[in-house]
Amino acid sequence: MKTNATYFLNDKNEPLKYGEINLINPKRQRLRGEELKEGIEAIPVFCGFCGTDFELMKMGERGELSSKFPEGEKRLINGHEGVVWVPGENRFAIVLIRGGDSFDPTRFTEDEDYFEYGCDRADGLFSDKNYFNPDMLLHLPEEYENVTVLPLSLAKKLVFSDPYACAIFQHERMSDIGEAQNFRVVMAREKCSESKARKIASDETFKYTVIYGLGTTGLFIGDQIRRNHPTAKILFVARSGEESKKVKFVKENVKADYLCAFGLSEDEAAQKIKEKLGANASAFVGTSGNSVEARIAFEKGVLGCNGIYDSFSLGPKVEYDTMPFGFKNHVILASINFTQKHMEEAIRILSKSRFDELVELIDKDEFISNAMDAYINKIYSKGAPLKTAVIWNAKYIDGDK
């Protein structure tokens, strides 16, 4: 079957194109041990742009995408955030992005394998139609099960299902590790049972939290911490001015403090972080994509004794001096992804959120007329909105709601 789509390929001059291509429909499995199933047809309705898409475009420019293409193909339809319409089931759905030959897609091991729609060996959402494993088409909340036209505000919220699910998983991991890291200290201090100590240690993990970077990942991790730990002191650190929309949003909705680090030396930033927190950080989350975050945490001493460092940035190196690292009993964790459980919870939370306020649209005709230019000069340009999305099929969107 032929369709129109944007797709990545290895091409120095034009690694992202829009045009007609042949669709494929290989059998895929959601998890190890489950049945291999052919995909069923779905129509992408609303699609969001992710920084991963931008990085894949740059990889194509460098000729590094071959391992990302579906088997037997020399292109990859991009896009992994959005809402699709499933004609055979007369409903909307969110695509569970990661599946394959693993028991748990967040913990695949050397003898396991995976695929990701729109990212890794499986075509994604920026197409007029596509095929997806029927077990990986997740339901919307019950109140939206029978709608045939989706409110635009809801579509904007649900475009965050993938990154918000990542944030739920990050909070889960930080809680698990922070609890294991410090419950014995709490037992000794409080003279209490292990079960009580574990609960206290989990809460205390987030007592003084620094989130370095204010993209969607950092925002959603902060939102998860606030929802689960109401008394946590959360400080976002980024380069945006105090007047920016996303800074105002996190102050109002996440009840977090903010530090603009633009123009500050690393020593100055570290000092101001500790002043705003009133203490050293008990948890430090790096989401900025810059190695300065690790230097602030370790070299400049912002991360306190027994603290955990959640490395969520892709690209920068995390370096530390082994002497203070060992004696301060630090833990570094890094694990990126989510399970179906996390995405289903994300869909539920997002449907009742205000995150649609952070999404701005690009016209589809403008995007497909020159997709590369749109990526470079609008979607990921300086001053771009926190999230850009596109209505891919206006027939299914109610723009008045």
Side-chain angles (χ1 to χ4, degrees), residues 86-372:
V86 187
E89 299 178 2
N90 204 41
R91 68 177 178 93
F92 292 102
I94 302 293
V95 180
L96 178 62
I97 298 304
R98 179 181 269 203
D101 183 28
S102 65
F103 290 113
D104 181 338
T106 68
R107 308 285 210 284
F108 72 93
T109 61
E110 289 78 6
D111 69 331
E112 296 179 335
D113 199 4
Y114 70 93
F115 69 87
E116 289 188 4
Y117 286 117
C119 297
D120 206 320
R121 293 173 289 172
D123 288 328
L125 300 182
F126 281 99
S127 58
D128 291 348
K129 61 180 66 175
N130 210 337
Y131 297 101
F132 302 98
N133 183 309
D135 297 332
M136 299 175 71
L137 292 167
L138 305 185
H139 287 258
L140 270 56
E142 187 176 356
E143 60 264 38
Y144 300 106
E145 269 295 289
N146 297 314
V147 301
T148 56
V149 180
L150 199 65
L152 178 58
S153 60
L154 179 62
K156 286 182 174 182
K157 296 171 185 177
L158 295 178
V159 80
F160 290 120
S161 297
D162 178 295
Y164 200 95
C166 281
I168 293 173
F169 174 59
Q170 286 304 299
H171 171 258
E172 179 182 279
R173 287 281 284 158
M174 293 173 75
S175 295
D176 290 348
I177 291 173
E179 174 187 307
Q181 166 84 332
N182 289 316
F183 81 90
R184 295 186 187 281
V185 176
V186 175
M187 282 178 68
R189 185 187 76 208
E190 301 294 328
K191 306 292 191 293
C192 64
S193 66
E194 180 177 327
S195 60
K196 183 176 180 179
R198 284 182 176 274
K199 175 63 171 66
I200 294 171
S202 176
D203 281 334
E204 290 187 352
T205 295
F206 304 98
K207 187 174 182 179
Y208 301 107
T209 299
V210 173
I211 300 175
Y212 208 99
L214 188 47
T216 54
T217 301
L219 168 60
F220 294 153
I221 291 175
D223 187 70
Q224 268 294 290
I225 292 171
R226 174 58 68 225
R227 287 172 185 269
N228 289 280
H229 308 277
T231 63
K233 191 160 189 177
I234 303 171
L235 173 66
F236 283 91
V237 183
R239 294 171 60 84
S240 300
E242 294 273 354
E243 74 289 346
S244 75
K245 185 176 181 179
K246 60 185 179 181
V247 171
K248 292 178 179 178
F249 188 91
V250 299
K251 285 183 173 182
E252 180 181 348
N253 292 277
V254 184
K255 309 301 180 189
D257 203 351
Y258 179 74
L259 172 66
C260 174
F262 181 76
L264 298 179
S265 69
E266 292 179 10
D267 285 322
E268 290 171 333
Q271 183 60 35
K272 286 185 178 296
I273 288 170
K274 287 187 277 190
E275 288 174 359
K276 278 187 170 286
L277 281 179
N280 288 84
S282 55
F284 194 111
V285 186
T287 70
S288 71
N290 193 304
S291 57
V292 66
E293 57 196 29
R295 293 196 298 271
I296 293 289
F298 297 113
E299 289 182 26
K300 305 304 177 182
V302 167
L303 185 62
C305 290
N306 307 310
I308 64 172
Y309 183 93
D310 185 1
S311 177
F312 201 87
S313 292
L314 294 177
K317 290 184 178 180
V318 176
E319 297 180 326
Y320 56 88
D321 184 336
T322 57
M323 184 69 78
F325 179 80
F327 279 99
K328 289 184 177 181
N329 198 34
H330 287 154
V331 169
I332 297 175
L333 67 106
S335 188
I336 297 173
N337 221 273
F338 53 84
T339 65
Q340 180 172 334
K341 175 194 74 173
H342 299 116
M343 183 167 264
E344 288 171 340
E345 185 178 351
I347 292 168
R348 178 185 59 78
I349 291 172
L350 288 168
S351 69
K352 299 184 183 301
S353 76
R354 291 177 52 189
F355 290 121
D356 55 309
E357 297 173 16
L358 298 172
V359 181
E360 295 185 18
L361 300 180
I362 184 172
D363 182 75
K364 181 183 177 182
D365 289 337
E366 178 186 356
F367 172 59
I368 64 177
S369 66
N370 192 333
M372 283 187 60

Side-chain angles (χ1 to χ4, degrees), residues 1-6 18 21-24 40-45 47 75 77 84-85 87 123-132 364 392-393:
M1 181 189 297
K2 293 184 181 295
T3 194
N4 289 312
T6 60
Y18 173 79
I21 61 170
N22 285 311
L23 284 179
I24 57 174
I40 62 173
E41 183 181 319
I43 299 171
V45 172
C47 306
R75 89 295 174 277
I77 299 175
V84 301
W85 173 256
D123 288 328
L125 300 182
F126 281 99
S127 58
D128 291 348
K129 61 180 66 175
N130 210 337
Y131 297 101
F132 302 98
K364 181 183 177 182
W392 200 262
N393 194 317

